[in-house]
Amino acid sequence: MPDRFLIFLLAALIATAQVHAPPPVKGPWMDKALSPDRRAELVVEQMTLGEKLQLVHGIGMLGGRELDAESRELLTSRSNGGAGFVPGIPRLGLPDLNMADSAVGVGHAAARSRYSTALPNTLALAASWDPQLAREYGSLIGRELRDQGYNMSLAGGVNLMREPRNGRNFEYLGEDPILAGRMVGQIIRGIQSQRVMGHIKHLALNDQETGRHIANVKLDKRSMRETDLLAFEIGIKEGDPSAVLCSYNRINGEYACENRWLLTDLLKNTWGFKGFVISDWFANYSATKAALAGLDQELPGPGYFGSELRQALESGAVPMARLDDMVKRIVRAEFAAGIVDDPPVHRVVDVVRGFEVAQKVAEQSMVLLKNSGSLPFNSAALKSIAVIGMHADAGVLSGSGSGQVDPMGGNAVATPPPVTNPGSPQTEGEAIWGNVWVWHRSNPLKAIRARAPAAKVQFHDGSDKAAAAALAKSSDVAVVFAVQLAGEGFDTSLTLPYDQDALIKSVAAANPRTVVVLENGNPVAMPWINDVSAVLEAWYPGIRGAEAIAGILFGDISPSGKLPASFPRNESDLPRAAIVPVPDGRLPNPLAGIGGKLVPGAQIEPFDIDYSEKLEVGYKWFEAHDKQALFPFGHGLSYTSFAYSDVKATADGVTFTLRNVGKRAGTEIAQIYAGLPAVAGEPPRRLVGWEKVTLSPGETKTLTVRIDRQFLAIFNEAMDAWELIPGDYRFSVGGSSANATQFATVAIQ
Ligand code: BGC
């Protein structure tokens, strides 16, 4: 024990010694009793023009390309190695900003010989419908950022799942703006509770990866405010992030980072956002226009906010007052977050704590989609189990791109399969991120063996369908692990890659007791759904994923996750049968659109993505068009069952009774949907509230869920305000969007 203690102490001391402690600074702005606003005002008064300009752009990434010698030296000597680095001003006590991608855990840590916890992905977290759990998820990320010397997080992705094949849905929070907004708000709160700055991204409507640098999204203001932007509005209100990141795409003709309506009129003026706006990496395309629109800090380098912004200030094209505002917003956020008074100190990451949180989130986020009775397994009765599927003997899959966490001990799979991108012809993902399939070392085969020590558990990788089927036939049950990679820079399709649909069909034909476990970031179609006996959606379940899967399969845990997104039957049921492609020849190479700069002289013409489904995102589309989803939004089974009764509604809330009518304890996520008066011109129903309740067998609870008035309102474009339409509101309550069949109507004036 003393040895272990000494090693930890030594590691901590070495790490601590690497932190560059700024010399103690005396100045009125260092007075902690003053408000962050006042401190910011006082310190900005002290700054030279050069210092101000230094704070409004990063000098990180891409090996310091386009940097002068001084910046290169700063980058090598002071950056913590994350995606973003903005040098601070030591003479004024202002710290360097060290930013790390951290959507599902701190990214790119291993390069610096560090470890961080790979949590289940955020779409999985959304399936827990549990804001408290989201807070814990964020706190863990915040703590591990601090322990690794970062003071700013690049987590907080909340782009709405308008497009179920968007490669980055796995690092967002689903298709409903209220669920997504509330969950992201709590992630941010959790992160910031650790005295790390948080942010929210990608504002806005960057809802597909294909052509993201040149896409022009077309959508009317009412639809924006009630869908994609509502998720941001709620997330910002509840999470109070230090920063907002503007996205790559154009919105109704203007780049997001040059969009004055979005960044200044709406975000800063209407929503009252006091933090700063940063550009997505290379998403800034100008100096004057972006600065006047409301962009405050350009990342990762001084593409336009270096010498070009200086010239614009000197010529008067950008007023000095605007620069002061940019800088004030940045330093105010630093004071408010606590990173000036209490900077992070390198420590050894608490691995055990990370495992605990990761497993808890995984257990609460998996969704039992179908169960005709074979689950939970009875380990005493099962004599043989066939475990089938690509690398299910090695680990669990994760999503790729900037939302990837370095795998502990390296990729569990030595030769990952080549990428197949049926959904997206563009290969930006491969060019930047490699899009390697990464499996974390949480081993499903081992976890199942540990849970069924008396059974003969045999493995087949599924590459030979006949052999896999033969193994299934000779076993009591078969568990097939099916995987699909999703990630930044490409989109997916509804079809599982590598002919896994055919594999599942042959296994199910050989053994009707076939259970499918999905590891994926996006909905997939299931042409084999009627042939299998159960399906568990495990998402990208993180470093304790296999243990959580086994816990659910064997009934230690009763599943409680509910889908945060509809699973369509096929592509033709979607608003767009295919991902909107980049027109031929517009994107000369995958990187050409980035900042319009990487390929000098490249003329990048935008192409339109017309979101003609407007308000009808996800389940709202299915309901409005009388289409049945394969599995609807909000769906998820348990090992027990629940009955709803006595629904009553008032203008403030909905009351109902919930009873556990099954034989074991379980957790239900009771959902409340509202149908607005017909004159409102809305989709049939929208989610307006929910309650997560654990009940013992036979237990009954009467619950009242308060409904936020804004969640009942529509956005009136002419008034530029939210409006509550007088009339009859019909509330429905139940265990999924398709199953909310208990009603109560209330007139609201
Ligand atoms: C992504 C951001 C990410 C940034 C830094 C961009 O490509 O869109 O989400 O934070 O890179 O890695």
Side-chain angles (χ1 to χ4, degrees), residues 386-411:
V387 175
I388 294 165
M390 207 191 265
H391 305 300
D393 60 337
V396 291
L397 189 61
S398 58
S400 74
S402 59
Q404 172 72 263
V405 172
D406 293 322
M408 173 184 70
N411 196 341

Side-chain angles (χ1 to χ4, degrees), residues 696-718:
S696 340
E699 193 182 348
T700 299
K701 262 193 190 153
T702 297
L703 303 151
T704 297
V705 178
R706 204 187 64 78
I707 309 294
D708 188 320
R709 278 294 168 103
Q710 188 186 348
F711 299 168
L712 296 175
I714 67 167
F715 189 77
N716 183 323
E717 211 177 313

Side-chain angles (χ1 to χ4, degrees), residues 662-678:
K663 291 199 179 61
R664 57 172 290 172
T667 300
E668 171 71 328
I669 297 163
Q671 301 153 41
I672 299 167
Y673 296 84
L676 271 56

Side-chain angles (χ1 to χ4, degrees), residues 619 633 671-674 685-687 730-732 736-737 740:
Y619 63 94
F633 175 82
Q671 301 153 41
I672 299 167
Y673 296 84
R685 286 186 310 167
R686 56 165 78 162
L687 178 77
R730 190 171 194 246
F731 292 98
S732 44
S736 91
S737 61

Side-chain angles (χ1 to χ4, degrees), residues 505-714:
K505 266 194 176 285
S506 20
V507 171
N511 188 336
R513 292 189 74 199
T514 291
V515 174
V516 175
V517 178
L518 292 165
E519 290 170 19
N520 52 340
N522 273 342
V524 288
M526 303 177 202
W528 33 261
I529 191 67
N530 295 326
D531 309 328
V532 303
S533 82
V535 183
L536 179 67
E537 176 53 77
W539 315 106
Y540 296 136
I543 193 61
R544 294 291 286 172
E547 291 72 13
I549 291 169
I552 289 181
L553 293 181
F554 287 92
D556 310 333
I557 308 286
S558 177
S560 61
K562 301 272 189 179
L563 289 179
S566 316
F567 274 43
R569 284 179 192 280
N570 52 52
E571 328 235 27
S572 59
D573 278 350
L574 295 172
R576 281 163 295 284
I579 290 271
V580 183
V582 178
D584 284 351
R586 290 271 179 86
L587 205 56
N589 86 33
L591 298 177
I594 297 183
K597 277 200 155 185
L598 293 188
V599 175
Q603 284 301 308
I604 311 296
E605 292 297 319
F607 71 105
D608 290 340
I609 302 176
D610 188 356
Y611 285 133
S612 54
E613 75 279 14
K614 296 183 172 195
L615 294 168
E616 294 167 354
V617 177
Y619 63 94
K620 294 167 186 164
W621 165 265
F622 285 91
E623 292 193 353
H625 296 269
D626 269 328
K627 289 176 193 283
Q628 261 214 329
L630 174 60
F631 292 109
F633 175 82
H635 168 76
L637 304 172
S638 158
Y639 290 151
T640 186
S641 40
F642 300 93
Y644 290 79
S645 60
D646 301 325
V647 177
K648 293 184 199 77
T650 66
D652 297 321
V654 175
T655 301
F656 57 97
T657 300
L658 184 67
R659 184 175 166 80
N660 180 344
V661 293
K663 291 199 179 61
R664 57 172 290 172
T667 300
E668 171 71 328
I669 297 163
Q671 301 153 41
I672 299 167
Y673 296 84
L676 271 56
V679 288
E682 286 287 305
R685 286 186 310 167
R686 56 165 78 162
L687 178 77
V688 290
W690 68 92
E691 185 84 34
K692 190 170 178 178
V693 203
T694 301
L695 296 177
S696 340
E699 193 182 348
T700 299
K701 262 193 190 153
T702 297
L703 303 151
T704 297
V705 178
R706 204 187 64 78
I707 309 294
D708 188 320
R709 278 294 168 103
Q710 188 186 348
F711 299 168
L712 296 175
I714 67 167

Side-chain angles (χ1 to χ4, degrees), residues 61 83 101 154 168 201-202 212 245 248 280-281 402 433 488:
M61 222 179 194
D101 277 306
L154 300 173
R168 297 189 79 177
K201 70 185 179 187
H202 310 78
R212 63 178 174 164
L245 174 145
Y248 290 116
D280 200 349
W281 271 229
S402 59
W433 303 105
E488 183 171 346

Side-chain angles (χ1 to χ4, degrees), residues 234-409:
I234 298 169
I236 291 168
K237 195 157 136 200
E238 296 199 6
D240 190 20
S242 297
V244 170
L245 174 145
C246 50
S247 56
Y248 290 116
N249 51 295
R250 297 180 208 227
I251 300 162
N252 296 327
E254 298 281 13
Y255 279 118
C257 296
E258 288 182 344
N259 199 310
R260 198 187 148 84
W261 169 76
L262 184 66
L263 304 184
T264 297
D265 300 348
L266 181 66
L267 173 68
K268 293 179 178 175
N269 295 343
T270 306
W271 293 349
F273 174 67
K274 293 180 91 177
F276 59 108
V277 177
I278 69 175
S279 67
D280 200 349
W281 271 229
F282 306 103
N284 180 26
Y285 306 102
S286 63
T288 302
K289 191 166 181 196
L292 294 180
L295 179 67
D296 299 307
Q297 190 179 66
E298 179 179 26
L299 270 304
Y304 296 90
F305 276 17
S307 53
E308 286 183 43
L309 182 60
R310 182 187 275 269
Q311 278 162 25
L313 288 157
E314 281 163 1
S315 74
V318 174
M320 283 294 172
R322 174 67 192 113
L323 178 67
D324 285 348
D325 175 52
M326 292 155 82
V327 175
K328 202 182 142 202
R329 284 173 172 275
I330 296 165
V331 293
R332 185 205 160 274
E334 295 178 3
F335 287 120
I339 66 167
V340 179
D341 304 326
D342 184 13
V345 173
H346 281 278
R347 261 186 272 267
V348 178
V349 166
D350 182 346
V351 180
V352 177
R353 170 112 185 92
F355 273 32
E356 270 167 26
V357 176
Q359 184 161 341
K360 181 157 89 173
V361 174
E363 288 169 352
Q364 293 200 40
S365 64
M366 292 185 191
V367 184
L368 183 60
L369 294 174
K370 171 176 178 173
N371 185 16
S372 25
S374 51
L375 291 180
F377 291 147
N378 176 348
S379 56
L382 284 184
K383 299 220 164 16
S384 53
I385 304 174
V387 175
I388 294 165
M390 207 191 265
H391 305 300
D393 60 337
V396 291
L397 189 61
S398 58
S400 74
S402 59
Q404 172 72 263
V405 172
D406 293 322
M408 173 184 70

